[in-house]
Amino acid sequence: MVQELVTSVITAGCVGFVYLAAAMRVVKQYERGVVFRLGRQSGEPRPPGLAVIIPFVDRLYKVNMQIVTLPIPAQEGITRDNVTVRVDAVVYFKVIDAANALIRVEDYKFAVSQMAQTSLRSIIGKSDLDDLLSNREKLNQGLELMIDSPAVGWGVQIDRVEIKDVSLPDTMKRSMARQAEADRDRRARIINADAEFQASKKLAEAAQQMADTPAALQLRLLQTVTAVAAEKNSTLVLPFPVELLRFLEKAQREPEPESYQSRARSAAPAAPSPPEQLVEGARASADPGDPAPEEAPITPVRSTADAVTPDPDGSAARTRT
């Protein structure tokens, strides 16, 4: 009798232990347990810790409440300015209502993935290529709103959406590279022109200052000589005074004064030419009673430069005697 009682107690203990083992569930800190009793939701989701259910009657589903990182496969689309691109992104979301995540949608991860792909294609079609490349923050916010609107009813909250990469055709890459190079060249030329303009203004001011103070030019010359001598000791610098250049320039502009010999020549009477001297001598030797002879025509004497005439063929010159 005692043996049968002991056996019954042991059996009941084993059955109770099995029942408790089947009834107890452990919910982790990052999870929530949703209990379905005979197919209906029973109460609120179980918090983290030990949860007790009725075996074979209740069924406990654990839902992960952590942030899920879901990569979106690369989607190919045509932008608003007719450029074919491939864009991939990543979605960060988490479950905020465990019951709705199990009841409202069959597989919330798959649903979020499909919604993200559809929204990404829509964003590509509504945006320009420049927006995809430079204004990604605005596109990320728009994509987040498009995915978050239907996901709220599933008990899912979209935490963040990021566009990872934008793949362009090779022809478009080469065109953009040429455009960027031309833009950089233009900016470089503008900067150089601006620098030349500012330098010319400063040089003009410096020239005006040196013109007002001539000693400043000499000091600048000495400073240049000192700098050159410090860099290369083998270089010989011979400074040329600027005042001497100014003196020579001024002397070149003024007319040359008349010399003493030129003034004497201008004051002396002009001597008669040789033909006139012969005529005067003949008149003096002639008899006063004789009739005056007819004066022969005076042939002017030409200089050597006048006696040179070109030949008819223009090849040589001939001197007249």
Side-chain angles (χ1 to χ4, degrees), residues 212-226:
D212 297 338
T213 309
L217 185 60
Q218 187 67 23
L219 293 177
R220 180 60 181 168
L221 178 60
L222 295 176
Q223 184 179 3
T224 304
V225 171
T226 304

Side-chain angles (χ1 to χ4, degrees), residues 114-124 142-143 146-147 150:
Q114 295 299 315
M115 179 59 65
Q117 294 180 28
T118 305
S119 301
L120 183 58
R121 285 178 175 270
S122 179
I123 285 291
I124 293 173
L143 189 59
M146 293 180 66
I147 302 174

Side-chain angles (χ1 to χ4, degrees), residues 104-283:
R104 297 293 182 87
V105 62
E106 180 181 2
D107 187 353
Y108 63 89
K109 292 184 179 180
F110 181 74
V112 171
S113 175
Q114 295 299 315
M115 179 59 65
Q117 294 180 28
T118 305
S119 301
L120 183 58
R121 285 178 175 270
S122 179
I123 285 291
I124 293 173
K126 294 179 181 179
S127 305
D128 295 332
L129 180 60
D130 294 339
D131 294 336
L132 289 175
L133 297 176
S134 61
N135 197 11
R136 292 190 181 182
E137 188 66 27
K138 184 178 179 180
L139 297 179
N140 293 337
Q141 294 178 0
L143 189 59
E144 180 180 347
L145 291 176
M146 293 180 66
I147 302 174
D148 190 56
S149 298
V152 173
W154 304 338
V156 177
Q157 180 183 0
I158 305 300
D159 187 71
R160 191 176 184 85
V161 180
E162 292 287 344
I163 296 176
K164 293 196 300 182
D165 187 23
V166 179
S167 300
L168 302 175
D170 295 337
T171 55
M172 182 58 63
K173 291 181 181 179
R174 289 193 294 268
S175 300
M176 294 178 65
R178 290 194 298 268
Q179 180 183 359
E181 184 178 358
D183 187 36
R184 287 194 298 269
D185 190 13
R186 179 183 62 85
R187 286 184 292 178
R189 291 184 179 182
I190 292 176
I191 293 174
N192 290 334
D194 191 14
E196 291 293 337
F197 176 71
Q198 295 180 4
S200 62
K201 291 178 63 177
K202 294 299 181 181
L203 289 175
E205 294 177 1
Q208 184 65 30
Q209 187 68 24
M210 289 183 179
D212 297 338
T213 309
L217 185 60
Q218 187 67 23
L219 293 177
R220 180 60 181 168
L221 178 60
L222 295 176
Q223 184 179 3
T224 304
V225 171
T226 304
V228 173
E231 290 182 0
K232 296 181 179 180
N233 297 328
S234 61
T235 303
L236 180 61
V237 179
L238 298 176
F240 193 78
V242 182
E243 289 78 3
L244 182 58
L245 293 177
R246 293 178 180 175
F247 175 76
L248 295 177
E249 183 180 1
K250 184 177 179 181
Q252 185 178 4
R253 292 179 181 178
E254 294 180 357
E256 296 182 356
E258 289 188 48
S259 61
Y260 176 77
Q261 296 180 355
S262 60
R263 288 197 300 269
R265 290 176 183 176
S266 60
S273 59
E276 294 179 357
Q277 293 179 359
L278 295 176
V279 173
E280 292 295 335
R283 289 180 179 177

Side-chain angles (χ1 to χ4, degrees), residues 48-71:
L50 185 63
V52 179
I53 61 175
I54 301 174
F56 310 108
V57 177
D58 296 342
R59 186 177 294 273
L60 179 67
Y61 293 92
K62 299 178 183 179
V63 180
N64 193 340
M65 305 297 289
Q66 292 176 317
I67 295 178
V68 180
T69 303
L70 181 64

